[in-house]
Amino acid sequence: MEILGSIVGNIISLVGKYCNYHIEADEHVKNLKRKWELLENREEDIKSKLDLELRPGKKPKQEVKLWLQHVEKIKDDIDIGQEPARWMSTSHMQKGERAFKKTKLVEELYQVGDFTDGLVIDLPECIGKMMPPPTLVGECTAQRTKEDILACLLDDVGKIGVCGMGGIGKTTVMKEEFDLIKLQNDIACRLKLKLPKSGDQIIRAAELYTALKYRKYVIILDVLWEAFALEDVGIPEPTLTNGCKLVLTTRLLDVCRGMSCKEIKMELLLKEEARKLFLSKMVRDIFNIPDLKPIAEEVLKRCAQLPLAIVMIAGSFKSLFHDFEWRNALEELRTSVKGSNNMEEQVLQTLKFSYERLKEEKLKQCLLHCALYPEDFQINKRELIEHLIDEGIIARMKSRETEFDNGYSILEKLENACLLEGGIRYYDKEKFVKMHDLVRDMVLQVASPEFMVEGHLGLEDFSAEGKWRENHVKASLMYNKISRIPSNVSPMCPNLSTLLLQGNRSLKNVPDSLFKHLHGLKVLDLSNTAIESLPNSVFSLENLATLRLRRCENLKQVPSLAKLTTLRKLDLGDTGITQVPNGLEMLVNLKFLDLNAPELKVMPLGILPKLSHLQYLTVFWHSKATAVNEEEIASLKELEAFAGNFDDVDKFSMYIRSLENRRLSCYQIQVGMQGGGYNSKFITPFFSLIGKKVILVDCNLRRGDESLVLPEDLQFLEIEICDDLRSLCDVPSLKHPSKLQCIGVYQCKGIEHILSFSSSCTLPLLQTLDKLELMCMDNLRVLFKKERAASAWVPSDTFSRLKIIKLFSCSKIKKLLPPGLLPHLRNLEQICISSCNQLEEIIGEAICDSLEKICIVNCPKLKRLPLSLPLLGNGQLSPPPSLQQIWAYDKEWWDLLEWDCLDTKNVLQPFFHSH
């Protein structure tokens, strides 16, 4: 009877719960929307704050990046203002249940997102990874300057001005100054703070930050051109009381004095330092070659001990081998700087020599195009190459891939010649180039008769008077503060081929008069502006080849495009358009078309087949969109890059089969119309499609269904809401891709394990997989089910490339990894686990030496960390060789962990960080 009573009680409880879901479904949905709005507001606040906090030498905390990823992953299930589309066909009870469960996830994310200790961490050792400071200054000269700055920082000096001519190395010294462990030690000593002698710089920086955050700060202003009052900007005046410091660099001594700064003058290099720097850029010791030595000595003398000039001239001479080549180049150098007594003008002429020595005209044209960007602008490489193609600087070739190869080759040559500096951004790993401000000055001097360029001048208006000339070929007013263009502006520039207005976010209207006399215009960029409509005169530009309107969110409609038959590129990505522009089918020369607009819902049949030369097409990547027609996409025989949706497996597979011997160089394809890709709200931070990705949403993938055809070169696979699956082994087509790097599985309720180790489940992905990410898997009990001893048959390269394992909200999993798998995980770097409240163990063995980061959030039953600590020669424990960070939301979890010995916890303590 007791058993019966218990069963009846459970049934009554279960029925009551589901009755509640049914009765209060609407209230659950409303509550979800309220909670989501709070989470979305917090997300926006965090992103805004992150933009402010990210500076060279800093990167987002791992927990912040993970949190933002988790928020992105549930966005497609929660559509503010209406019920999520995928819920429309569900019952009232199911709607209530889903809303209730989603609310719990949203509440948890909201709580976790309270990052009171800041969003970024100092990462001194990685500064060079983003923008390696060029070796522009000699060791002794630089050291003297750095010591002077440091002495002022540690003394009672509140404002410090580092002055010197352009190219002398002021910015480089400032970068290096704040990248020194010695600086950490000196400041710590001043604060009477004891830093650990061992350990990496991140831990030391974190301790310094904690000690400094309520005491004082240092503001660094690089390349200042005029003095200003601090109170006008809102910067507290540095005083002995507040301990604040202001450090600025400038070419003008008057700026230092106008700001009442302690002056530190950057000196030219010593002669021996100049010689050493020159030699470091050569492929051989030219001073030991008798025929070249006297010539090289004069070349070096012409560089006037200025670091930038030495680097660039050396870059121009290093490819010369014969003495007659050196003599000829030296004579050109003499001629270029002849007759100028002004030092800065001599430097510009010296840089011009490096520009003129470029052998290929397209290298010069690329450099000229880079000068159209504002000073110190980080130019995304892929965006730049796209623009070089648009401008005709990179000639049209047989494929986009070939054109991009040519573009990267051009940029590499310019970096090798020291005319461009390369770098990688911390937060999205995007590669960029930038120009030294003196190089930009020189290039604009060369281009001045034909270029009209306005930098960050704070323009509030579009002033035409005195700016436009008939001989202008290119005009750039990008990223200014232009809010309006007067209705009477009508530049008489018949030869103008390029007009760049992107980034003027307050610009709402463009007058019809602007394009009245610009009949030669080929490239028009109005991206990232607030324009609400296009003037009719745009559609009379008979030579227009490129029209970029990306991220013009207020642009709801575009008039007929029928007259723009010369267009090769049309970018309407992330605009507000609700329908395909009329006349699109007339643009038969189009090679690039981006229709990835969130409000666009219908693609009329018959248009795409007429655009037979398309190489790049993105359309309907957002969750609200209608699928594309597989036969029309298959008809585009020149297509190389594609992003879009197919509404079922059969249509997708038909398209993949249609490719035959052709291949797409990159693609992002969703199959199934629910959802929208957890990681795919935007294709990339810019517009250039990269990677090879497929997302399967609510598809039938059961064992034995051979209808699904996956591309053999697939790199990234996401599987969402495919409830019939029990394991990835149930997907026969997974045997075909041989280059799969990342798998994400989300909300597949039927999955109990991801893979089973058995002879019947052999997948190539076991050898190629880099990352495995799982989210909201209600019935997942183990990742890998071992049907026989793994070591008995699993090949040695199984999971040999696996670097990252991430789990989020998998409530039934108790043990992450089975025993016997450890020898195969020799490259595992990150384990991130969140909201797995039944997890008791990661693995029963000590984890591999390659592990760098462990992140644990809301896993209360996880009581041990399987970390093996090596012994030093003196018998003391040493940290794992690669470990960088152990992070947990709750410090109490860390305090309650069980250890074999207390020394283990003491050794790992410096690596631990919590909310």
Side-chain angles (χ1 to χ4, degrees):
M1 289 297 292
E2 289 182 4
I3 296 175
L4 181 60
S6 176
I7 294 173
V8 171
N10 288 337
I11 292 174
I12 291 173
S13 175
L14 191 62
V15 171
K17 180 172 72 171
Y18 282 98
C19 283
N20 175 272
Y21 288 149
H22 178 81
I23 296 169
E24 299 185 11
D26 292 339
E27 188 59 37
H28 286 317
V29 171
K30 289 179 182 177
N31 190 38
L32 172 59
K33 291 177 180 177
R34 288 194 296 268
K35 298 294 185 181
W36 169 252
E37 287 174 359
L38 290 174
L39 179 62
E40 188 178 48
N41 289 338
R42 174 160 284 183
E43 180 197 26
E44 290 301 317
D45 291 343
I46 285 175
K47 285 182 176 179
S48 298
K49 190 176 180 183
L50 195 59
D51 287 340
L52 293 174
E53 290 188 10
L54 278 176
R55 293 290 186 271
K58 296 185 180 295
K59 73 167 189 175
K61 289 181 178 178
Q62 188 65 24
E63 68 223 62
V64 176
K65 292 170 66 177
L66 186 64
W67 184 85
L68 288 171
Q69 288 173 13
H70 288 163
V71 174
E72 283 292 325
K73 287 173 185 175
I74 65 170
K75 274 188 177 182
D76 292 321
D77 277 352
I78 304 167
D79 191 359
I80 297 174
Q82 61 181 14
E83 294 172 11
R86 70 174 69 173
W87 297 8
M88 293 303 186
S89 60
T90 62
S91 69
H92 213 54
M93 182 192 72
Q94 288 174 318
K95 187 187 300 182
E97 179 187 7
R98 292 184 181 183
F100 179 78
K101 290 182 177 180
K102 289 295 179 186
T103 301
K104 290 180 66 177
L105 281 176
V106 170
E107 287 177 334
E108 184 177 287
L109 275 174
Y110 182 81
Q111 292 172 0
V112 172
D114 185 16
F115 302 107
T116 54
D117 287 340
L119 305 176
V120 300
I121 58 173
D122 294 320
L123 193 58
E125 80 276 17
C126 287
I127 286 179
K129 291 182 181 177
M130 181 200 74
M131 175 62 76
T135 311
L136 295 184
V137 289
E139 294 178 5
C140 296
T141 301
Q143 188 60 34
R144 287 196 305 272
T145 305
K146 288 187 283 188
E147 287 175 357
D148 289 343
I149 296 171
L150 182 59
C152 292
L153 284 172
L154 297 178
D155 207 342
D156 295 334
V157 179
K159 293 187 286 187
I160 305 152
V162 182
C163 59
M165 65 177 297
I168 203 167
K170 301 181 296 297
T171 300
T172 302
V173 165
M174 296 305 295
K175 286 180 181 178
E176 292 186 353
E177 172 62 27
F178 297 98
D179 187 26
L180 298 175
I181 287 183
K182 182 178 182 298
L183 179 62
Q184 291 181 322
N185 290 335
D186 289 338
I187 295 176
C189 180
R190 184 78 173 194
L191 296 172
K192 298 181 180 179
L193 175 68
K194 188 175 181 180
L195 290 177
K197 293 182 180 179
S198 60
D200 65 13
Q201 296 174 25
I202 300 174
I203 299 166
R204 296 158 57 86
E207 293 199 36
L208 270 180
Y209 172 76
T210 302
L212 284 170
K213 63 180 179 179
Y214 296 120
R215 302 195 188 194
K216 57 185 176 182
Y217 57 79
V218 178
I219 296 176
I220 302 170
L221 303 174
D222 195 21
V223 192
L224 208 61
W225 286 100
E226 60 183 61
F228 65 94
L230 294 181
E231 59 269 21
D232 289 346
V233 181
I235 301 175
E237 188 74 25
T239 65
L240 290 176
T241 303
N242 63 26
C244 298
K245 303 286 184 180
L246 174 70
V247 186
L248 62 87
T249 70
T250 179
R251 296 186 197 175
L252 307 173
L253 188 59
D254 287 347
V255 172
C256 288
R257 292 172 179 171
M259 300 288 290
S260 301
C261 290
K262 166 73 175 178
E263 299 165 16
I264 297 178
K265 187 176 181 182
M266 279 287 296
E267 303 292 344
L268 293 170
L269 299 185
L270 300 175
K271 289 184 178 180
E272 189 55 38
E273 291 173 337
R275 188 185 188 93
K276 183 178 178 181
L277 178 58
F278 190 83
L279 271 177
S280 72
K281 300 300 177 183
M282 288 287 156
V283 295
R284 53 185 175 156
D285 186 353
I286 40 85
F287 293 113
N288 279 331
I289 301 174
D291 290 343
L292 294 183
K293 181 179 178 181
I295 310 173
E297 294 284 5
E298 185 172 351
V299 170
L300 179 57
K301 184 179 179 181
R302 294 268 171 189
C303 296
Q305 296 164 250
L306 184 71
L308 181 63
I310 293 170
V311 169
M312 295 191 64
I313 295 301
S316 297
F317 275 80
K318 69 180 179 181
S319 61
L320 308 179
F321 283 87
H322 301 291
D323 55 349
F324 60 83
E325 291 178 298
W326 274 75
R327 283 194 298 272
N328 179 62
L330 173 58
E331 184 58 33
E332 292 178 9
L333 177 60
R334 287 180 184 138
T335 304
S336 67
V337 298
K338 187 176 181 180
S340 176
N341 296 320
N342 180 280
M343 184 62 176
E344 192 117 342
E345 181 59 30
Q346 286 187 31
V347 172
L348 286 174
Q349 292 304 315
T350 302
L351 302 186
K352 184 178 178 183
F353 164 82
S354 295
Y355 167 82
E356 292 175 342
R357 289 287 298 177
L358 292 172
K359 295 179 181 179
E360 301 175 64
E361 181 61 26
K362 61 184 175 183
L363 297 182
K364 295 180 181 179
Q365 291 300 318
C366 176
L367 211 57
L368 289 168
H369 185 80
C370 290
L372 296 173
Y373 287 85
E375 190 172 289
D376 290 325
F377 198 89
Q378 294 182 356
I379 312 170
N380 178 271
K381 280 190 175 183
R382 287 185 290 113
E383 175 186 352
L384 176 57
I385 294 172
E386 286 277 7
H387 291 185
L388 295 178
I389 295 171
D390 297 342
E391 297 279 348
I393 296 171
I394 295 177
R396 296 284 175 177
M397 301 179 183
K398 62 180 181 180
S399 68
R400 278 175 55 85
E401 188 174 27
T402 307
E403 292 167 359
F404 266 76
D405 288 344
N406 186 243
Y408 284 117
S409 176
I410 289 173
L411 298 183
E412 182 72 15
K413 290 177 182 178
L414 290 174
E415 287 182 54
N416 289 338
C418 302
L419 289 162
L420 290 178
E421 302 172 60
I424 302 175
R425 298 200 318 190
Y426 288 124
Y427 47 92
D428 57 11
K429 305 304 180 186
E430 283 287 318
K431 295 181 179 180
F432 66 84
V433 291
K434 62 181 292 188
M435 300 182 82
H436 190 282
D437 53 353
L438 266 187
V439 177
R440 183 173 180 270
D441 290 346
M442 175 272 294
V443 172
L444 288 177
Q445 191 179 81
V446 170
S448 60
E450 297 182 343
F451 279 31
M452 192 268 276
V453 179
E454 296 291 348
H456 288 290
L457 300 181
L459 298 178
E460 296 178 359
D461 205 337
F462 192 99
S463 176
E465 186 176 353
K467 293 185 180 297
W468 300 94
R469 296 196 296 269
E470 285 192 20
N471 59 345
H472 278 153
V473 174
K474 296 186 179 184
S476 173
L477 297 103
M478 65 170 83
Y479 299 101
N480 281 287
K481 295 181 180 178
I482 300 172
S483 59
R484 69 180 184 90
I485 300 176
S487 58
N488 60 345
V489 169
S490 187
M492 293 292 295
C493 302
N495 298 318
L496 193 72
S497 65
T498 299
L499 177 58
L500 306 177
L501 286 163
Q502 68 263 37
N504 292 292
R505 297 183 180 182
S506 299
L507 181 61
K508 294 183 178 181
N509 296 299
V510 178
D512 204 56
S513 62
L514 180 63
F515 304 102
K516 186 176 181 180
H517 302 295
L518 303 182
H519 301 300
L521 202 62
K522 296 179 180 179
V523 176
L524 174 60
D525 197 333
L526 287 163
S527 299
N528 204 15
T529 61
I531 59 167
E532 298 172 349
S533 62
L534 286 171
N536 291 328
S537 55
V538 167
F539 304 97
S540 298
L541 298 174
E542 298 177 354
N543 296 303
L544 195 64
T546 296
L547 179 58
R548 298 194 287 256
L549 299 166
R550 170 161 292 271
R551 296 197 185 101
C552 293
E553 297 174 358
N554 296 335
L555 185 64
K556 305 298 183 184
Q557 188 176 6
V558 175
S560 175
L561 300 169
K563 292 183 179 180
L564 299 181
T565 54
T566 55
L567 266 188
R568 288 174 171 262
K569 178 173 187 172
L570 177 61
D571 191 344
L572 291 165
D574 292 322
T575 57
I577 61 170
T578 57
Q579 61 184 23
V580 172
N582 290 330
L584 181 62
E585 68 279 3
M586 302 297 292
L587 308 184
V588 294
N589 292 308
L590 271 186
K591 289 184 174 291
F592 182 112
L593 176 60
D594 193 324
L595 288 173
N596 187 35
E599 301 301 323
L600 188 62
K601 298 180 178 64
V602 178
M603 182 73 192
L605 293 175
I607 293 179
L608 289 178
K610 294 180 181 179
L611 308 180
S612 58
H613 296 299
L614 278 179
Q615 296 177 330
Y616 181 107
L617 173 65
T618 61
V619 58
F620 304 146
W621 189 244
H622 296 267
S623 59
K624 295 179 183 179
T626 303
V628 293
N629 180 280
E630 69 281 4
E631 293 182 357
E632 292 200 345
I633 300 297
S635 72
L636 301 174
K637 301 300 183 182
E638 297 181 23
L639 197 63
E640 299 177 45
F642 171 58
N645 300 341
F646 294 103
D647 56 16
D648 63 42
V649 166
D650 291 336
K651 293 177 180 179
F652 164 71
S653 298
M654 176 265 169
Y655 173 64
I656 298 301
R657 290 191 188 97
S658 75
L659 293 175
E660 298 177 346
N661 296 325
R662 294 185 293 120
R663 69 181 181 92
L664 297 175
S665 60
C666 48
Y667 52 84
Q668 291 195 20
I669 301 174
Q670 179 175 309
V671 185
M673 297 312 298
Q674 294 192 21
Y678 273 94
N679 294 318
S680 309
K681 183 178 180 183
F682 300 110
I683 294 173
T684 63
F686 291 91
F687 51 74
S688 190
L689 179 63
I690 58 173
K692 300 175 180 182
K693 183 174 187 176
V694 170
I695 299 177
L696 304 171
V697 184
D698 197 16
C699 297
N700 185 354
L701 304 176
R702 64 185 181 276
R703 178 183 289 277
D705 184 355
E706 298 286 352
S707 62
L708 175 63
V709 178
L710 291 174
E712 291 185 6
D713 58 357
L714 180 65
Q715 296 172 327
F716 310 99
L717 175 66
E718 290 184 11
I719 302 175
E720 303 178 18
I721 328 173
C722 295
D723 293 339
D724 63 319
L725 283 183
R726 296 297 177 267
S727 164
L728 292 186
C729 294
D730 292 346
V731 188
S733 55
L734 270 180
K735 296 179 181 179
H736 304 301
S738 59
K739 299 180 180 179
L740 198 59
Q741 300 172 14
C742 176
I743 288 184
V745 186
Y746 313 110
Q747 287 188 304
C748 295
K749 293 183 178 181
I751 287 187
E752 296 181 354
H753 61 272
I754 300 301
L755 294 169
S756 61
F757 293 133
S758 68
S759 56
S760 62
C761 182
T762 56
L763 298 177
L765 63 89
L766 297 178
Q767 286 79 41
T768 62
L769 202 63
D770 289 337
K771 181 179 178 180
L772 179 64
E773 181 168 293
L774 310 170
M775 177 179 173
C776 297
M777 309 285 285
D778 292 346
N779 289 300
L780 182 69
R781 298 178 185 275
V782 292
L783 292 190
F784 311 116
K785 183 179 179 181
K786 185 177 67 172
E787 296 186 2
R788 64 173 74 177
S791 58
W793 64 270
V794 175
S796 60
D797 57 352
T798 297
F799 294 127
S800 59
R801 296 186 184 179
L802 190 63
K803 294 181 179 180
I804 300 172
I805 297 177
K806 292 187 176 183
L807 267 77
F808 179 79
S809 193
C810 299
S811 58
K812 291 186 180 179
I813 191 167
K814 292 185 177 182
K815 187 171 183 176
L816 187 67
L817 301 169
L821 192 62
L822 183 63
H824 305 279
L825 300 174
R826 49 185 176 270
N827 287 308
L828 187 63
E829 295 177 357
Q830 294 185 35
I831 295 178
C832 298
I833 309 171
S834 178
S835 301
C836 297
N837 50 26
Q838 296 297 317
L839 187 72
E840 297 174 357
E841 186 178 279
I842 293 177
I843 192 171
E845 305 163 273
I847 287 183
C848 51
D849 291 342
S850 60
L851 197 65
E852 296 178 358
K853 295 180 182 178
I854 300 175
C855 179
I856 307 294
V857 178
N858 192 21
C859 299
K861 292 189 177 183
L862 182 62
K863 300 297 185 182
R864 298 177 67 88
L865 289 181
L867 292 172
S868 174
L869 304 189
L871 283 174
L872 299 174
N874 58 7
Q876 292 184 340
L877 293 174
S878 173
S882 299
L883 189 65
Q884 296 178 7
Q885 187 181 66
I886 302 172
W887 189 90
Y889 179 73
D890 189 355
K891 185 178 183 299
E892 184 179 355
W893 171 83
W894 171 261
D895 293 335
L896 293 175
L897 282 178
E898 299 171 2
W899 306 95
D900 293 332
C901 68
L902 187 59
D903 287 346
T904 301
K905 181 179 181 180
N906 293 336
V907 172
L908 295 175
Q909 184 69 48
F911 297 89
F912 177 71
H913 301 274
S914 65
H915 173 66

